[in-house]
Amino acid sequence: AVALVKDKRPVAHPYIDCWKTAYGRMLEGRGDELTWRSKAIYEARSHSGEGGDSDSDWKQAQIQLVRDGFQRKVAIDITTTSAITAI
């Protein structure tokens, strides 16, 4: 998200410290899930012959975890809104 903002508006200040804190909180206590995801990414990458290393696998696992969390929250909001409007 930060890269997108900086790409579109180089002069924008996307509050990097706040983002880093929030990002860290989203990943806090999720080490086992990150390890599992990182291993799955490594296996898929190794099988397909893609380049990369353990750092890129770990970073991709973090991105997936955060993305999945936001997608779940959006799905819940959509379901809740649909239920309320159906009343």
Side-chain angles (χ1 to χ4, degrees), residues 14-64:
Y15 302 97
I16 300 294
D17 293 334
C18 295
W19 168 248
K20 287 180 181 178
T21 299
Y23 193 75
R25 287 178 183 167
M26 287 184 270
L27 299 175
E28 192 173 287
R30 310 287 296 271
D32 290 343
E33 188 174 355
L34 285 169
T35 299
W36 176 83
R37 285 176 183 257
S38 180
K39 285 180 181 178
I41 291 166
Y42 167 76
E43 290 171 5
R45 183 175 54 79
S46 296
H47 183 69
S48 69
E50 284 183 54
D53 57 20
S54 60
D55 289 337
S56 65
D57 297 340
W58 189 260
K59 185 65 176 171
Q60 187 61 35
Q62 290 176 325
I63 291 168
Q64 286 179 1

Side-chain angles (χ1 to χ4, degrees), residues 71-85:
Q71 287 174 339
R72 275 193 306 276
K73 290 176 191 288
V74 168
I76 290 167
D77 287 347
I78 290 170
T79 301
T80 303
T81 302
S82 296
I84 290 170
T85 57

